[in-house]
Amino acid sequence: MSEQGKGSASASAAAPAPGSDTYKGWLFKWTNYLKGYQRRWFVLSNGLLSYYRTQAEMAHTCRGTINLATAHIDTEDACNIVLSSGGRTYHLKASTEVERQRWVTALELAKAKAIRMMTDQSDDSGDEEPTSQSDRSEIQGTLKILVSKLDDLSTCNDLIAKHGAALQRSLSELEGLKVPVEGGEKIKAVNERATLFRITSNAMINACRDFLDLAETHSRRWQRALQYEREQRTHLEETIEQLAKQHNSLERAWREAPTLVSTTPSAPTTNKAGSERLRKEEASDEDEDTEYFDAMEDSPAFITVTATENTQHRRSQSNLSGASGGQPNDWNQDDHMSLSCNDVSGKELQPRRQRRTRVPDKPNYSLNLWSIMKNCIGKELSKIPMPVNFNEPLSMLQRLTEDLEYHELLDKAARCDSSLEQMCLVAAFSVSSYSTTVHRTAKPFNPLLGETYELDRLEEFGYRSLCEQVSHHPPAAAHHVVSQRGWTLWQEITIASKFRGKYLSIMPLGAIHLHFHSSGNHYVWRKVTSTVHNIIVGKLWIDQSGDIEIVNHRTKETCQLKFSPYSYFSREVPRKVTGVVADSGGQAHYILSGTWDDKIESAKIVQSSRGGSGSEGKQKTVYQTLPPKLLWKKYPLPENAENMYYFSALALTLNEQEEGVGLTDSRLRPDQKLMEEGRWDEANSEKQRLEEKQRAVRRRREAEASDALDDECDYDSGREYEGYQPLWFHQRRDSVTGETNFVYKGGYWEAKEKQDWSMCPNIF
C-alpha cells in the first residue's frame, strides 16, 4: 500500500473508562485505493478487536473481528497501527502519536491477557492488568520464578520428609540393638538432629508459601494503584481539554460581544473597564497553556502559554517600553476599535458617494460539467475555452484589487512607530486578502491583453489602485496602489494553474511589495497556493495552504506564516493560520494565530524557554505571552450574498459603471457585463468573439515580429522589433529583491484628468 494513500487520514481514539476491561473509539481503517481510509468504530474486548461503521451497528452488525491472541502488532510511523493475523491485515490510523500509543498499549495488554486465558496460566489477573506491557512482563516473570522455586522447595521438602522418615526408622532400629552405651547416645543425637532438620524444612516451606501469597496480594494491590493513578491522569487530561475548549468558546463569545465596545473617552471609566477586561482575559486565555502550534519549515515547534501572574505589571511595562513609542495604549487596548475612532475625525463628516449594495441574482442554469472537463485534464487553465457558467462577473484584475478590502490595516500600520507592531499588521493584511475566497469557487474572467482596472477611492479612503494585464501567455497582471495615508503597494502576479481531474491548483507567482513613506520600511512577501476541490463530483470548496515569509528589508525583521491545509480528519481548527514575528537576530516577539476566513490575533511574547522534545524529536520552544489582541476581523457578507456569487461589500461595487474610466477598463467588458445581467447565452457568444479577436491580434503581432526578424537578417541596420509593451507599466529591476518585474511608470491618472484616452487600444 502506498504511504501517500495511508497518510491522508487520521482519527481520534476514546480513552478507556476507569476500571473497564473494554477500549472503544474512532479510528480510520484503510479500505482500498479508491476510498482510502474510512472512519470506523472499534471495540476492544476479551482479546477481540471488532469494528463497525457506526456505534449503532454494535447492536446488530459487526463488520470484522480479529483475535489478538494470534495477531502481530506493528507500528509503521507516528500514527499508524498494523494488525496481522493469518491472512488478514488491518491498517489503522490515529490522529496523534499519543492516541496511537494508547491504542497500542491497550492492544498489547489485551493480547497478553488473551494468551494467558488460552494457556490457563493465570486466573486472577482479571481487570487488574497493568497498563504498561513492560510492567506486566516484569511482574509476571517474577511471580513465575517464585512459583517455580516454591515447587522446587516443595519437592525437596517431600524428599527430605521421605528420607528423614526412613532415617528415623533406621535409627530406631539401631537403638533396639545391643550396642555400647556410647554408641547408643550418638545414635540418639543423630535421630534428634534429623527430626529437627525435618521440622526446620517444613517451616521453611511454609514461610516460602506465605511469602508467595503475600507477593501476589501486594502485586495486585500495586497494579490496582498504578492503574487508578493512570486512569486519574487520563481523566484529568480529558477534563483539562474540555475546560480549554469551553474557555476558548467563552473567550470568542466575549470578544465578539458588541456590549464590550466602549466609546466613553473618560480616563477613569477606561481604567476600570480595562482592569475588568484584564481579569476576564486572564481567565479566558487559560486554554493557551496547552495549545501547540505547527512548526514552520526549518524552524522549531513552539508552545504558547498565556501569562497569568503579574500580567498587569508586565503589560504596563510593555506599554511603556521604548520600542512602542507614540501612543502605546493603542496597541494593547482594543486596537481594532481605536482605528475607527481615529479615522472618524474629518473623514466621516465628508459626504460619500452612495455605491450599489447588490447585483442581479445568479441564474440557476444547469450544465454537464464532465462533458467539458474530461478533455481538459493536464492542460493550462488559461488555454481552456470555458463558458461563463463557471465564471463570476468579475475579472482577475478586479479580484486582485479585492486585496484592498481591509486597507485600513495598512493605514493603521503606517501610524505605528514600532516596526514589529507594524509587521503584525502587515501580516494580518496579507492573510485578510484570502477571506473573500472561502465561498468564491467560481472562476474570474481571464483579462484580455492590455485590459486595465482602476479603483479610485481617493476621497473616501485616500488611495488609488490601478491594474493592467501586461502578459497573456503566461497570464500576468501588474498592480499599483498609492495611498495618501502613508503607504504604497505594488505587485506583479503570474498565475500558474493546473487541472488535476479532482481538484484545481492555482499557484500565484510573483512578489508583493509594500513601502511605508515615513519610516522607509519595505516589506516583501508572496502568496500561498489556492486549491479548488471536488471539481468533478461533490460540492466545490476552496482551501489555502503553504507558507508566507514577510521580510522587512530595511530592518531585516521577519514574519513566518503557516497556512495549514484543511483535513476532514484533523482535530485542528479548519483554515488555521499561525505565525511568529521575529527581529533581525531571530528572537521572537509576537505570536500570530487565527484563521484566514475569520480573524487574526497577536500575542506579545514576554518570556521564552526551551521545552521538551516533540513527536519528531525536535525540541519545542515555550513562549509565555500576554493575552492575544485582535488585529483583523472579517466583515460579514451582505444580505442575500449566496445569490450574488458570495460577493463582499467591496466586490459588489467593483463592476459598477463609472464615468471617465479608461477605454480598456474591465467595467466596459461586454461579456462580463452581460453575465452580471443574467444574459449568459449572449455573454458566451460575446466571450468567444473577444477571445477570437485577441487571437487575431496576437497572430498579427507574431507576423510583425517575424517580418522584423527577417528585415534584421537582411539589413544590418534593421530595427529590432520590441513586441507588445504595456501602456501604464514597464519592466524594471527591483533594487531589493533583484528581480525584474513590471512597475507603474505613471501617466494614467493624468490622462484620466484630461480625459485623453487616445493611446488606449481597442480591445473590446
Side-chain angles (χ1 to χ4, degrees):
M1 183 178 356
S2 67
E3 294 297 328
Q4 183 179 1
K6 291 184 289 184
S8 62
S10 58
S12 60
S20 173
D21 191 27
T22 303
Y23 199 88
K24 303 177 182 179
W26 289 104
L27 285 175
F28 282 82
K29 178 181 177 293
W30 177 263
T31 56
N32 52 51
Y33 285 95
L34 181 61
K35 295 183 178 180
Y37 280 92
Q38 295 295 318
R39 192 167 183 252
R40 297 292 183 261
W41 178 256
F42 280 83
V43 178
L44 176 60
S45 179
N46 297 326
L48 300 177
L49 180 65
S50 306
Y51 73 92
Y52 312 83
R53 285 187 177 178
T54 62
Q55 299 184 44
E57 280 193 350
M58 293 177 60
H60 53 82
T61 304
C62 177
R63 298 291 173 174
T65 301
I66 191 170
N67 190 348
L68 295 179
T70 58
H72 176 69
I73 303 174
D74 191 17
T75 54
E76 291 184 340
D77 54 27
C79 297
N80 286 75
I81 306 173
V82 179
L83 297 177
S84 56
S85 177
R88 181 181 303 176
T89 302
Y90 288 173
H91 292 269
L92 311 177
K93 194 173 184 68
S95 61
T96 64
E97 186 179 1
V98 175
E99 292 176 352
R100 191 284 308 266
Q101 187 57 43
R102 290 177 179 175
W103 272 103
V104 171
T105 301
L107 292 171
E108 293 285 359
L109 294 177
K111 177 182 178 180
K113 182 180 178 181
I115 294 175
R116 286 200 314 273
M117 292 174 64
M118 292 177 61
T119 57
D120 293 328
Q121 290 181 352
S122 176
D123 297 329
D124 299 327
S125 57
D127 297 336
E128 303 166 67
E129 49 187 321
T131 59
S132 172
Q133 181 65 23
S134 60
D135 295 342
R136 180 187 187 83
S137 300
E138 181 180 356
I139 293 173
Q140 294 298 329
T142 303
L143 291 177
K144 288 180 180 180
I145 294 174
L146 290 175
V147 170
S148 175
K149 296 301 181 182
L150 181 60
D151 292 340
D152 294 342
L153 288 174
S154 298
T155 302
C156 294
N157 179 60
D158 294 339
L159 293 175
I160 290 174
K162 177 180 179 180
H163 295 297
L167 179 60
Q168 285 185 337
R169 287 196 299 271
S170 300
L171 292 175
S172 298
E173 292 175 356
L174 288 175
E175 288 179 355
L177 298 176
K178 292 182 179 180
V179 294
V181 177
E182 183 179 356
E185 292 178 354
K186 289 183 179 182
I187 292 174
K188 186 177 182 180
V190 171
N191 190 14
E192 291 176 354
R193 290 179 180 178
T195 303
L196 182 61
F197 176 76
R198 186 177 62 181
I199 295 173
T200 304
S201 176
N202 290 332
M204 181 185 64
I205 293 298
N206 292 332
C208 290
R209 184 175 288 106
D210 293 340
F211 171 76
L212 180 60
D213 294 339
L214 185 63
E216 291 179 344
T217 302
H218 282 280
S219 174
R220 289 191 293 269
R221 186 180 303 169
W222 294 334
Q223 292 175 29
R224 287 194 297 268
L226 182 61
Q227 177 75 4
Y228 176 77
E229 292 298 330
R230 290 180 173 172
E231 290 173 353
Q232 288 296 105
R233 186 187 67 180
T234 302
H235 179 68
L236 182 60
E237 290 175 353
E238 294 175 349
T239 303
I240 292 176
E241 182 179 357
Q242 294 176 359
L243 288 175
K245 292 179 180 178
Q246 294 175 5
H247 279 298
N248 191 32
S249 301
L250 290 174
E251 177 192 7
R252 184 178 294 108
W254 172 75
R255 291 185 183 279
E256 296 176 355
T259 56
L260 294 179
V261 179
S262 176
T263 58
T264 305
S266 60
T269 305
T270 303
N271 294 337
K272 182 178 179 180
S275 60
E276 181 180 358
R277 170 177 176 156
L278 174 61
R279 289 193 297 271
K280 292 181 179 180
E281 284 176 342
E282 290 174 353
S284 64
D285 287 325
E286 291 176 358
D287 62 299
E288 299 294 333
D289 292 347
T290 56
E291 183 172 0
Y292 287 78
F293 290 85
D294 292 335
M296 306 297 162
E297 187 174 348
D298 299 330
S299 65
F302 57 89
I303 309 170
T304 59
V305 181
T306 305
T308 56
E309 297 181 1
N310 300 325
T311 308
Q312 180 75 36
H313 176 64
R314 289 173 178 167
R315 178 180 296 178
S316 62
Q317 286 182 340
S318 64
N319 290 347
L320 299 176
S321 63
S324 298
Q327 300 289 335
N329 290 332
D330 287 349
W331 178 252
N332 289 309
Q333 300 291 339
D334 284 342
D335 283 343
H336 55 294
M337 299 304 173
S338 63
L339 173 64
S340 59
C341 294
N342 292 339
D343 287 349
V344 164
S345 59
K347 289 296 179 183
E348 293 293 339
L349 300 179
Q350 298 178 3
R352 291 186 178 181
R353 171 182 170 180
Q354 292 295 327
R355 302 190 181 275
R356 68 181 186 181
T357 58
R358 62 173 293 106
V359 296
D361 287 357
K362 178 182 178 181
N364 187 17
Y365 292 152
S366 60
L367 187 66
N368 187 352
L369 179 63
W370 176 244
S371 64
I372 298 175
M373 290 297 181
K374 64 182 180 180
N375 296 322
C376 303
I377 298 177
K379 294 182 180 179
E380 186 81 18
L381 181 64
S382 59
K383 298 180 181 180
I384 297 175
M386 302 284 280
V388 299
N389 302 61
F390 303 118
N391 286 50
E392 62 180 13
L394 289 178
S395 73
M396 190 62 198
L397 301 180
Q398 292 166 312
R399 285 290 292 267
L400 196 60
T401 306
E402 281 192 71
D403 288 356
L404 301 174
E405 177 139 15
Y406 299 93
H407 61 88
E408 63 270 12
L409 291 171
L410 301 184
D411 297 341
K412 185 176 182 181
R415 300 194 301 270
C416 282
D417 295 324
S418 168
S419 58
L420 290 171
E421 296 175 359
Q422 188 179 76
M423 174 70 82
C424 292
L425 291 168
V426 172
F429 173 79
S430 69
V431 175
S432 69
S433 63
Y434 298 98
S435 63
T436 61
T437 66
V438 62
H439 301 296
R440 303 272 292 278
T441 56
K443 174 183 174 292
F445 279 78
N446 288 332
L448 303 175
L449 185 61
E451 184 176 336
T452 61
Y453 181 75
E454 69 159 73
L455 187 66
D456 190 348
R457 296 291 191 265
L458 192 63
E459 295 182 357
E460 297 165 280
F461 303 115
Y463 71 84
R464 277 176 166 175
S465 168
L466 177 66
C467 293
E468 181 179 6
Q469 187 77 358
V470 296
S471 174
H472 190 63
H473 289 298
H479 185 203
H480 182 268
V481 190
V482 61
S483 173
Q484 292 180 338
R485 300 182 183 178
W487 54 270
T488 300
L489 182 144
W490 67 96
Q491 58 180 319
E492 178 194 339
I493 298 297
T494 301
I495 300 298
S497 54
K498 284 292 184 181
F499 178 54
R500 308 288 185 178
K502 295 178 63 177
Y503 62 91
L504 176 69
S505 296
I506 304 172
M507 294 79 70
L509 308 176
I512 304 174
H513 296 257
L514 176 63
H515 178 260
F516 289 100
H517 305 162
S518 60
S519 63
N521 290 333
H522 187 156
Y523 297 87
V524 179
W525 70 93
R526 301 175 188 273
K527 290 181 175 287
V528 296
T529 299
S530 301
T531 306
V532 182
H533 296 269
N534 294 341
I535 293 294
I536 301 300
V537 180
K539 183 179 179 181
L540 292 175
W541 60 279
I542 195 167
D543 192 24
Q544 316 290 344
S545 60
D547 297 336
I548 292 180
E549 181 183 31
I550 307 175
V551 180
N552 183 345
H553 285 273
R554 187 184 73 84
T555 63
K556 306 304 178 183
E557 295 163 348
T558 61
C559 175
Q560 300 285 344
L561 290 174
K562 181 178 181 62
F563 288 65
S564 301
Y566 175 79
S567 173
Y568 175 78
F569 310 113
S570 175
R571 300 178 63 187
E572 295 287 352
V573 177
R575 309 177 185 94
K576 182 179 180 181
V577 179
T578 55
V580 179
V581 175
D583 58 22
S584 58
Q587 181 179 357
H589 290 265
Y590 288 94
I591 295 296
L592 304 180
S593 62
T595 57
W596 54 263
D597 66 329
D598 185 24
K599 66 179 179 180
I600 290 294
E601 295 177 331
S602 70
K604 185 176 179 61
I605 299 173
V606 295
Q607 186 178 358
S608 62
S609 59
R610 306 302 294 180
S613 299
S615 59
E616 298 180 358
K618 296 181 179 180
Q619 191 174 26
K620 294 182 179 179
T621 302
V622 179
Y623 292 130
Q624 187 178 19
T625 67
L626 295 177
K629 297 300 178 184
L630 185 66
L631 293 178
W632 161 75
K633 176 72 176 176
K634 180 187 176 183
Y635 299 143
L637 289 175
E639 186 179 357
N640 196 38
E642 63 276 7
N643 295 322
M644 298 186 297
Y645 309 92
Y646 286 99
F647 281 174
S648 63
L650 175 62
L652 289 173
T653 67
L654 292 180
N655 211 38
E656 185 177 9
Q657 298 301 307
E658 293 190 10
E659 296 181 358
V661 298
L663 300 181
T664 55
D665 196 273
S666 299
R667 298 177 180 89
L668 305 178
R669 182 166 174 166
D671 55 347
Q672 187 172 299
K673 186 175 181 181
L674 288 169
M675 181 192 177
E676 182 181 275
E677 295 172 354
R679 300 153 62 184
W680 283 18
D681 292 336
E682 299 175 57
N684 278 320
S685 301
E686 194 65 22
K687 183 172 182 288
Q688 293 179 8
R689 182 190 68 81
L690 291 175
E691 292 175 350
E692 185 56 38
K693 180 179 180 179
Q694 181 173 236
R695 294 188 190 100
V697 173
R698 186 176 70 250
R699 287 193 294 267
R700 184 173 63 252
R701 190 178 296 115
E702 291 173 351
E704 292 175 357
S706 178
D707 294 341
L709 182 61
D710 294 340
D711 293 342
E712 185 178 355
C713 294
D714 294 339
Y715 305 99
D716 294 338
S717 59
R719 185 171 60 87
E720 182 180 356
Y721 181 73
E722 292 183 353
Y724 176 78
Q725 296 297 324
L727 195 57
W728 310 110
F729 290 80
H730 56 181
Q731 281 189 319
R732 290 293 182 268
R733 184 178 181 84
D734 188 83
S735 59
V736 174
T737 62
E739 299 176 350
T740 301
N741 47 31
F742 284 92
V743 296
Y744 180 59
K745 65 181 180 181
Y748 180 87
W749 304 109
E750 292 78 6
K752 181 182 179 181
E753 184 177 355
K754 298 176 183 179
Q755 282 300 295
D756 179 14
W757 303 114
S758 58
M759 73 293 291
C760 293
N762 180 14
I763 62 174
F764 299 140

